[in-house]
Amino acid sequence: MDTQASRSTISATNFEKELHGQSIRLFRLSNANGLEVYITNFGQKIVAINAPDRDGNFEDVVLGFSSIDEYIDTHEIYFGAVIGRYGNRIANGKLTIDGTEYTLEINNSPNHLHGGTNGYHNLIWDAEVLSESEIQFTRVSKHMEEGYPGNVSLRVHYELTDSNELKINYYGTTDQTTVLNMTHHSYFNLRGAGNGTINDHVLWINADRYTPVNKDLIPTGELAEVANTPFDFRTPKPIGTAVNTKHEQLLIGKGYDHNFVLNNTDQTLIAAAKVVEPDSGRVLEVFTTEPGMQLYGGNFLDGTIGKEGKAYTHQGAFCLETQHYPDSPNQSHFPSTLVTPDQTYRSTCIYKFSTEA
């Protein structure tokens, strides 16, 4: 089989656009093994990742679109994007810092989600190509942007190594105490984007506990044990094994849409998750310095047409979003997301691709 046949062929021309006086462009990262990552400076959206199966046949394993206009016009606004200033939900769009209450946009009623309508996913970043395998994006998130205090200078560095690791390093400094909780939001299907559900993908998660949510998908505050629940992925199992059981949390989320409390008390770089797609042999491992990781099972994918005219259907992708816990600013026993002017925010996420026989 021609190993090039199933690669996404993304036209850079389709991603060239002037918007609000800024230039949108598409960039390509590659390594010595033929792995490719296409990324645009519009929300740092990863448009395609071409990864090999056990026989060396390449397939694009992330959901996305073939042109920048589709990203701008679609309701699927988070495909492949960087997320901030705060990834995940903040209850009622309210947070208090040093006695001052701040009001954020309610864009996921009744909550604030993923930094707001004009969060980092929806902004044009300055891009600097460092090599064929490295790029970094920078911008200043202005004081009161989307309601958040402080001018925050941001840098996100991507490196595609010859070990087939996509390393994402986040950095931020602020001139005023604020919250910062950035993450990445690629939708993965290791069989190939648009090629069926991910419920037979075998998942392992390095977490003994998770954060149950209320009807509004805000953590109740409990750090619940995964043992004897559908949330126990400490022994690898297919994602869909228990997804349709009548468990209260799965009914609330319409499947998996929950934060896992990683076994990472000192926030060093650890192995957080591993996913194996049995038919192709493709493997995705996730490493992070974060204390949490959101598993989202594509519950709200609705048949949107993406690359190559393929429909992205219900449970047709999964997200593994490394993060601090949702609503941490309002739950004092959760790890803090506060960043002060004398600190540098740092976070690392690594997606590593390989194969198994």
Side-chain angles (χ1 to χ4, degrees), residues 68-84:
I68 192 62
D69 288 336
E70 291 172 282
Y71 280 97
I72 292 171
D73 295 340
T74 183
H75 64 282
E76 301 289 357
I77 56 177
Y78 301 121
F79 278 170
V82 70
I83 301 296

Side-chain angles (χ1 to χ4, degrees), residues 119-160:
Y120 298 167
H121 65 282
N122 208 25
L123 301 175
I124 300 170
W125 292 67
D126 294 327
E128 181 183 3
V129 176
L130 303 176
S131 70
E132 288 187 352
S133 59
E134 289 182 79
I135 190 170
Q136 68 179 12
F137 298 94
T138 56
R139 71 178 301 272
V140 175
S141 181
K142 294 294 184 66
H143 176 61
M144 298 311 294
E145 182 177 83
E146 294 299 278
Y148 292 93
N151 295 293
V152 180
S153 297
L154 299 163
R155 177 166 63 95
V156 186
H157 179 270
Y158 295 78
E159 180 184 7
L160 181 60

Side-chain angles (χ1 to χ4, degrees), residues 126-325:
D126 294 327
E128 181 183 3
V129 176
L130 303 176
S131 70
E132 288 187 352
S133 59
E134 289 182 79
I135 190 170
Q136 68 179 12
F137 298 94
T138 56
R139 71 178 301 272
V140 175
S141 181
K142 294 294 184 66
H143 176 61
M144 298 311 294
E145 182 177 83
E146 294 299 278
Y148 292 93
N151 295 293
V152 180
S153 297
L154 299 163
R155 177 166 63 95
V156 186
H157 179 270
Y158 295 78
E159 180 184 7
L160 181 60
T161 74
D162 287 340
S163 299
N164 288 355
E165 297 171 321
L166 179 61
K167 293 183 175 181
I168 309 173
N169 284 294
Y170 306 88
Y171 305 92
T173 57
T174 180
D175 63 0
Q176 181 178 334
T177 300
T178 190
V179 294
L180 190 55
N181 181 33
M182 296 178 69
T183 190
H184 177 75
H185 211 302
S186 273
Y187 287 63
F188 295 98
N189 185 325
L190 298 182
R191 189 179 289 110
N195 292 344
T197 80
I198 45 79
N199 286 333
D200 60 348
H201 288 46
V202 178
L203 173 63
W204 168 80
I205 298 179
N206 184 8
D208 296 330
R209 296 176 182 272
Y210 76 107
T211 51
V213 294
N214 63 22
K215 63 180 178 58
D216 296 320
L217 298 178
I218 293 295
T220 63
E222 181 185 6
L223 305 180
E225 293 188 1
V226 300
N228 303 312
T229 77
F231 295 86
D232 192 350
F233 288 94
R234 294 174 298 176
T235 298
K237 67 182 181 183
I239 293 173
T241 300
V243 73
N244 293 317
T245 57
K246 302 299 183 182
H247 189 280
E248 179 187 22
Q249 286 295 305
L250 293 177
L251 294 173
I252 290 173
K254 296 182 171 56
Y256 293 107
D257 192 4
H258 293 78
N259 171 68
F260 284 75
V261 177
L262 297 176
N263 296 322
N264 192 18
T265 55
D266 56 1
Q267 295 183 37
T268 56
L269 187 68
I270 65 159
K274 180 179 179 179
V275 188
V276 179
E277 199 288 294
D279 291 341
S280 68
R282 289 190 183 89
V283 177
L284 174 64
E285 295 171 89
V286 183
F287 302 85
T288 187
T289 56
E290 288 293 309
M293 182 183 68
Q294 187 87 358
L295 168 63
Y296 172 58
N299 312 324
F300 299 103
L301 292 173
D302 60 0
T304 294
I305 302 301
K307 290 171 290 187
E308 299 179 359
K310 292 183 177 179
Y312 297 151
T313 55
H314 179 64
Q315 297 179 348
F318 65 88
C319 301
L320 293 171
E321 305 157 57
T322 60
Q323 61 179 16
H324 273 57
Y325 310 161

